[in-house]
Amino acid sequence: MGEWVYRFGGGKAEGGAADVERLGGKGAHLAEMASLGLPVPPGLTIVCDACTHYFNSGRSLPEGLKQEVLDGITAMEELTGRVYGDTARPLLLSVRSGARASMPGMMDTVLNLGLNDETVRTLAVDSEDPRFAWDSYRRFIQMYGCVVMGLDHEVFEEILEDEKAKAGHEYDTDLCAAEWQEVVQLYKHVIEEELGEIFPQDPHLQLWKAIGAVFASWMNPRAATFRMLHRIPEEWGTAVSVQAMVFGNLGSSSATGVAFTRNPSTGENALYGEFLVNAQGEDVVAGIRTPQSITEEGRLASGSEKPSMEKLMPQVFAEFRAICTRLEAHYRDMQDVEFTIERGKLWMLQTRSGKRTTKAGMKIAVDMVEEGLITKEQAVCRIEPPSLDQLLHPTIDPRVERHVLGSGLPASPGAATGEIVFTAEEAVHAEEEGRKVILVRIETSPEDIHGMNAAEAILTTRGGMTSHAAVVARGMGIPCVVGAGSMRVDLRNETLIGVGGVTLHRGEVITIDGSSGQVLRGAVPMIQPALSGDFAKLMAWADETRRMAVRTNADTPQDARAARDFGAEGIGLCRTEHMFFEGERIHAMREMILAEDEKGRRAALAKLLPYQRSDFTELFSIMHGLPVTIRLLDPPLHEFLPKTEAEIEDVARAMNMPPAFLARRIDALHEFNPMLGLRGCRLAISYPEIAEMQARAIFEAAVAAAKRTGEAVELEILVPLVSLRAELDYVKGVIDRVAAEVGAENGSPIAYLAGTMIELPRAALRAHVIAETAEFFSFGTNDLTQTTFGISRDDAAAFIPTYQRKGIIEHDPFISLDFDGVGELIQIAAERGRRSRSDLKLGICGEHGGDPDSIRFCENVGLDYVSCSPFRVPIARLAAAQAAIERQGKRSVSS
Ligand code: PEP
Ligand code: MG
């Protein structure tokens, strides 16, 4: 192997699957397949480093690269018996991108290199049908014209559409050789006209330019957006594979297709794929013709009349099936393969780990453990925790009547409702306005990626299960229906026409059922999915593996129940302030805030006590003996007061006081910086009667719930926004006194822990001192991020995206923990806290408690639990298991 180039072909290869970092996914697996002796057209892969070099050196190919490529081509010539640039036996090449991570359709490819005005004639004579040669040449000119010369796709499409219209043809395949030849002339002409240069005839010039252009496509805007969405570092660069062309468009014994070794939508262990006879690769993914099923089973399931590959080409099918089985056993994972059949000879063009729905991923992982292919731990690591969201998506209530507008293929599961929009831009705009939309397109292309990301669901009227829309939506975990051929998109009038001519306009609401493929009129009642079967099995394996407990942030019975169903092992944060807004409570709360003295406050607090007690009793009962952390009142008091003039008038009337008086009281409570003002433990210190009432409600509820459930409540009381030990000592004094009183009233002492939020840098730094009082710490990373950065968490959205775009920060620190700064404070607090109190319980209850990367950090710092919103509980369970497995792995490597 050279410095820049690895070769493969003829049953041998330099490098293999282990070299993904150097060779990119495509290159590494082509090499692996070649080494396995599978039929792979010979080729070479230019390493990713060459791409980085290309950009660092002002867009020039590295020294020595050309010679290594030429040597590689000589090897291909020996294997194929053809010569690149030769007019008698021309070798044609493909030049494809292939990064370390899969980036479907984001970068460019050029096919049919080596064709020119002379070689096209040899090809025309060699093939049975000269149509093929001229069609290939026009494809080449079009691809090269767009990718290398920078012309718009439409320039060529318009010419083709005109030619078809002139000749009265409906499909591209209807054009004869002479007509394609005419298209070639027009394409060459338009290039000259638009760019003032002629289409290059020198195959070597074509090759170097194409390699450069494919490198350059690493930086195109759609690739950059995709990298940002998937956190792929820019410095990786892409590898480039240069490979001998094989043709699926050489007549009826030729074909091209894509397949998954198991069903990517359901996970069923059955070969699943699509192919097109007499076509080239891009025809299948482009969704221009609706492809045929590979297997008979698939054909029957789709109700297609067109014959399957199994029936049409039984021998090649048998060979293909055997290769798929071999690849799956070799990689121990479901594979997504691309192949071409050239005059009855099968060629494998790509294999990679196949993208799948989470449901399918679960089934495949569980089945593979049961088939003995992988271990339980490997299965647990196979599922991306955020993708569990897909399983938690609502589905349409089966009891409701469906007003079906049309249907297509069920490309990505789950159901979603939204307004119809027809462009990606509109989808993005609507999302910014907080509107939910369904992106409706004839077909999607990589340019639509930002709009797809903004939409609730995607509907296309063309294309198959492997079309761009289907693949991308599955990856994003949003519902998608593709190939809804019974519906029509009329872009000029901005309408979607359903079965029977029902016409819907832009902005009208539809529902997409990505599990059945149906498109329904209006909004439809949904139900939550049952989390059983494979999900339950895999989550049980995750639970066996993880070290940290997973709790939930919940302050309503509804959230607490949902979290229990999702497997929460307690409540890590109950924010009591949310309990003061409902109905009568807000009046008593306002009375308390506006009271002129302690007596008045106590009178109002007495009205709040029963509400608090019954809320806590309910939560404790639902949690049935599991730990529950209740936080004392945290926010600044004016958050409970009316804001607008009209509200002030309403409230004043209800409270029987003049509006001007109320307005003056509100003014008096005004703070310049409420987030840094009278809140958290500062409230309990200023008005201890509030903490007293809350403590009494908590303890009385604990007694009541224990009686109701027969289980003692594992009670933790959390004091917010502490920075000084003396603050905690004071508030803990109040809590302990009330506990003693309630204990005495009930004739038995009450067990509880008193702890503090660590959400201010001073608290983290003085953790060893604070831990002398605190029996547990709960890291409030929302406030800790806010106060460490000095960035208001409520105003961050105004500039964090700009910071990200300008590369100043990679991630939003309010979503994914800032390991270097906030993380270091957590580490310091954990170490210092445990130094003073070795059994100090440590948890996290900020938003980061549900973020997989932050959870990994928590595992490594040795926290005891993470706490997150109910819907993120399964994600946290899985992420915690993966973090534990990763940590174990690191430990065993270093020991
Ligand atoms: C925090 O600050 O991280 C926290 C959990 O508290 P809140 O979000 O209620 O301020
Ligand atoms: Mg906080």
Side-chain angles (χ1 to χ4, degrees):
M1 71 193 69
E3 186 186 359
W4 304 107
V5 166
Y6 286 50
R7 302 180 205 172
F8 56 85
K12 288 188 303 205
E14 296 165 349
D19 299 299
V20 170
E21 286 186 18
R22 294 211 79 194
L23 301 181
K26 189 176 286 152
H29 298 303
L30 277 170
E32 189 79 7
M33 284 201 291
S35 303
L36 289 172
L38 301 183
V40 173
L44 59 88
T45 300
I46 305 172
V47 299
C48 297
D49 287 350
C51 180
T52 317
H53 183 287
Y54 174 81
F55 286 110
N56 290 345
S57 62
R59 303 200 173 212
S60 62
L61 299 178
E63 273 253 335
L65 173 89
K66 284 190 179 175
Q67 192 52 51
E68 287 185 33
V69 171
L70 290 175
D71 292 347
I73 290 177
T74 307
M76 286 184 230
E77 290 170 344
E78 279 162 15
L79 284 165
T80 57
R82 296 180 166 272
V83 176
Y84 189 60
D86 186 52
T87 41
R89 287 193 58 74
L91 170 68
L92 300 187
L93 297 175
S94 64
V95 175
R96 296 169 196 262
S97 57
R100 212 196 278 190
S102 163
M103 296 173 61
M106 296 298 133
M107 288 173 292
D108 292 326
T109 281
V110 188
L111 304 178
N112 300 324
L113 271 92
L115 278 177
N116 57 25
D117 294 352
E118 289 182 40
T119 51
V120 68
R121 289 184 193 281
T122 317
L123 205 65
V125 174
D126 279 359
S127 52
E128 290 156 22
D129 181 358
R131 254 185 92 256
F132 152 75
W134 290 102
D135 180 18
S136 300
Y137 194 23
R138 74 89 196 176
R139 284 174 192 255
F140 174 46
I141 298 173
Q142 182 165 350
M143 272 187 154
Y144 192 94
C146 295
V147 173
V148 183
M149 305 181 94
L151 280 178
D152 241 20
H153 192 65
E154 272 75 47
V155 172
F156 299 104
E157 280 302 303
E158 259 171 37
I159 292 174
L160 182 53
E161 287 306 313
D162 282 355
E163 278 302 294
K164 278 201 299 203
K166 231 175 14 189
H169 296 319
E170 190 177 350
Y171 299 110
D172 293 5
T173 40
D174 298 336
L175 269 75
C176 69
E179 286 161 344
W180 280 128
Q181 196 168 352
E182 171 70 17
V183 172
V184 162
Q185 292 315 323
L186 292 169
Y187 277 9
K188 283 175 21 190
H189 186 68
V190 83
I191 288 178
E192 267 187 70
E193 221 171 48
E194 295 270 331
L195 303 173
E197 51 184 302
I198 57 160
F199 181 75
Q201 294 291 307
D202 173 5
H204 285 93
L205 178 69
Q206 293 171 357
L207 178 64
W208 307 130
K209 290 267 189 198
I211 291 173
V214 174
F215 278 149
S217 70
W218 175 251
M219 287 300 196
N220 75 34
R222 59 176 198 268
T225 307
F226 187 91
R227 279 200 298 273
M228 202 179 77
L229 287 173
H230 293 82
R231 298 182 174 189
I232 297 171
E234 192 181 291
E235 60 271 17
W236 280 4
T238 179
V240 171
S241 294
V242 179
Q243 199 175 12
M245 283 293 299
V246 286
F247 295 96
N249 52 348
L250 273 176
S252 59
S253 63
S254 300
T256 188
V258 293
F260 294 89
T261 54
R262 301 191 186 208
N263 186 313
S265 203
T266 63
E268 189 201 347
N269 188 359
L271 185 60
Y272 183 91
E274 293 163 339
F275 79 117
L276 278 175
V277 175
N278 197 14
Q280 249 188 355
E282 77 263 23
D283 300 341
V284 182
V285 241
I288 292 160
R289 279 195 270 158
T290 296
Q292 294 157 248
S293 171
I294 287 186
T295 61
E296 257 314 273
E297 201 187 327
R299 182 189 73 78
L300 292 171
S302 67
S304 166
E305 306 263 288
K306 291 188 186 166
S308 64
M309 180 172 145
E310 189 172 2
K311 266 271 148 59
L312 207 59
M313 305 175 169
Q315 261 174 336
V316 188
F317 175 77
E319 187 192 356
F320 178 68
R321 188 197 279 276
I323 288 176
C324 287
T325 309
R326 177 137 181 241
L327 281 173
E328 203 185 72
H330 180 73
Y331 282 103
R332 294 168 189 265
D333 195 10
M334 183 261 265
Q335 297 294 296
D336 164 1
V337 299
E338 288 181 17
F339 64 94
T340 282
I341 299 161
E342 183 181 280
R343 290 194 179 120
K345 159 93 180 121
L346 174 67
W347 292 101
M348 300 302 292
L349 300 185
Q350 178 162 321
T351 189
R352 61 184 169 194
S353 189
K355 286 225 184 315
R356 58 206 83 179
T357 62
T358 307
K359 186 163 170 262
M362 286 275 174
K363 178 160 173 54
I364 292 169
V366 170
D367 283 354
M368 284 192 166
V369 170
E370 283 162 6
E371 288 161 26
L373 276 175
I374 57 173
T375 64
K376 286 180 187 173
E377 292 194 342
Q378 283 169 326
V380 163
C381 292
R382 286 269 166 99
I383 310 292
E384 289 268 351
S387 75
L388 290 183
D389 235 4
Q390 274 188 39
L391 295 184
L392 315 176
H393 272 313
T395 47
I396 293 170
D397 186 336
R399 291 164 302 191
V400 303
E401 201 188 324
R402 294 179 174 222
H403 298 283
V404 180
L405 294 166
S407 64
L409 299 171
S412 182
T417 298
E419 295 169 25
I420 296 173
V421 295
F422 292 107
T423 66
E425 279 64 39
E426 266 185 78
V428 171
H429 181 65
E431 192 203 27
E432 282 165 4
E433 288 185 348
R435 288 185 289 126
K436 294 188 183 318
V437 294
I438 310 284
L439 180 60
V440 178
R441 309 277 290 157
I442 296 169
E443 60 196 298
T444 64
S445 75
E447 269 89 27
D448 295 323
I449 187 96
H450 56 307
M452 298 170 82
N453 195 42
E456 298 296 306
I458 293 157
L459 167 65
T460 70
T461 52
R462 254 195 220 158
M465 289 290 272
T466 45
S467 65
H468 180 264
V471 171
V472 174
R474 274 201 295 275
M476 287 178 173
I478 51 176
C480 177
V481 172
V482 297
S486 56
M487 307 186 79
R488 201 160 59 78
V489 171
D490 178 350
L491 285 176
R492 191 162 322 133
N493 295 309
E494 299 196 308
T495 51
L496 171 67
I497 299 138
V499 177
V502 186
T503 302
L504 290 128
H505 296 89
R506 198 182 91 188
E508 282 192 61
V509 171
I510 54 170
T511 297
I512 298 293
D513 183 357
S515 309
S516 73
Q518 286 181 337
V519 182
L520 311 175
R521 173 166 234 155
V524 179
M526 307 262 180
I527 49 167
Q528 298 303 325
L531 302 174
S532 54
D534 298 318
F535 175 85
K537 264 191 203 166
L538 195 110
M539 292 308 285
W541 296 337
D543 292 344
E544 281 167 21
T545 320
R546 69 187 154 86
R547 183 192 59 78
M548 289 190 294
V550 176
R551 299 195 197 174
T552 189
N553 293 357
D555 36 63
T556 64
Q558 192 187 345
D559 277 359
R561 275 195 208 98
R564 281 292 290 132
D565 290 345
F566 289 143
E569 297 161 304
I571 292 181
L573 175 64
C574 169
R575 294 175 162 106
T576 47
E577 53 270 22
H578 296 160
M579 299 169 152
F580 292 119
F581 282 98
E582 249 174 58
E584 286 298 301
R585 305 163 181 215
I586 189 68
H587 300 311
M589 186 67 181
R590 286 174 177 159
E591 226 179 282
M592 191 275 292
I593 296 169
L594 297 169
E596 308 235 15
D597 52 20
E598 187 183 327
K599 190 161 158 259
R601 273 193 300 277
R602 283 192 181 277
L605 285 165
K607 293 186 196 164
L608 287 170
L609 177 74
Y611 291 125
Q612 287 259 276
R613 189 173 45 220
S614 77
D615 284 350
F616 295 143
T617 311
E618 187 74 17
L619 285 184
F620 293 150
S621 304
I622 293 166
M623 285 295 148
H624 221 275
L626 293 172
V628 178
T629 310
I630 308 247
R631 183 175 74 186
L632 299 184
L633 192 64
D634 183 17
L637 294 180
H638 44 76
E639 282 197 6
F640 300 93
L641 296 177
K643 307 228 158 29
T644 64
E645 227 168 273
E647 283 169 353
I648 293 174
E649 271 186 28
D650 277 356
V651 172
R653 204 172 310 119
M655 296 188 74
N656 230 345
M657 58 172 69
F661 175 78
L662 178 58
R664 260 200 314 282
R665 294 284 297 134
I666 293 171
D667 253 5
L669 284 166
H670 171 81
E671 291 179 292
F672 287 103
N673 247 324
M675 269 302 188
L676 302 177
L678 179 53
R679 58 166 288 214
C681 66
R682 301 162 197 170
L683 282 170
I685 293 167
S686 308
Y687 309 113
E689 53 279 10
I690 301 178
E692 242 172 64
M693 180 282 285
Q694 289 203 291
R696 177 164 282 275
I698 294 167
F699 293 130
E700 289 181 352
V703 173
K707 274 198 201 127
R708 196 195 277 183
T709 65
E711 295 274 354
V713 179
E714 200 179 317
L715 187 56
E716 295 170 357
I717 300 182
L718 184 56
V719 182
L721 215 76
V722 161
S723 52
L724 301 157
R725 176 189 162 171
E727 290 174 319
L728 183 61
D729 284 342
Y730 181 91
V731 183
K732 186 167 182 296
V734 175
I735 297 168
D736 289 346
R737 180 165 46 76
V738 178
E741 283 165 20
V742 178
E745 288 158 22
N746 286 281
S748 67
I750 294 173
Y752 63 96
L753 297 181
T756 179
M757 298 281 284
I758 299 288
E759 51 187 345
L760 294 173
R762 191 183 194 283
L765 296 171
R766 302 294 293 163
H768 48 302
V769 179
I770 292 174
E772 286 167 8
T773 301
E775 292 161 309
F776 68 93
F777 284 173
S778 182
F779 289 99
T781 44
N782 303 332
D783 272 310
L784 192 57
T785 302
Q786 166 164 269
T787 50
T788 302
F789 276 92
I791 294 177
S792 154
R793 59 198 260 198
D794 302 313
D795 303 311
F799 57 91
I800 293 285
T802 310
Y803 268 42
Q804 283 176 290
R805 236 186 355 263
K806 298 199 167 174
I808 290 172
I809 52 165
E810 207 179 324
H811 312 304
D812 180 341
F814 289 99
I815 294 173
S816 201
L817 200 67
D818 158 49
F819 302 141
D820 300 339
V822 179
E824 187 167 358
L825 283 171
I826 294 176
Q827 203 159 0
I828 288 171
E831 277 166 20
R832 294 188 183 171
R834 284 205 167 127
R835 212 189 301 147
S836 301
R837 188 186 285 271
S838 61
D839 62 348
L840 182 73
K841 229 194 235 188
L842 298 174
I844 180 172
C845 64
E847 280 308 298
H848 307 87
D851 169 64
D853 288 340
S854 313
I855 291 171
R856 192 179 318 118
F857 177 87
C858 296
E859 167 69 27
N860 294 336
V861 176
L863 299 196
D864 297 303
Y865 68 86
V866 297
S867 187
C868 56
S869 57
F871 269 79
R872 288 164 97 187
V873 165
I875 295 171
R877 284 162 68 196
L878 188 58
Q882 292 182 353
I885 293 168
E886 200 178 289
R887 193 170 177 215
Q888 283 286 331
K890 273 193 201 133
R891 262 209 223 117
S892 55
V893 168
S894 61
S895 61

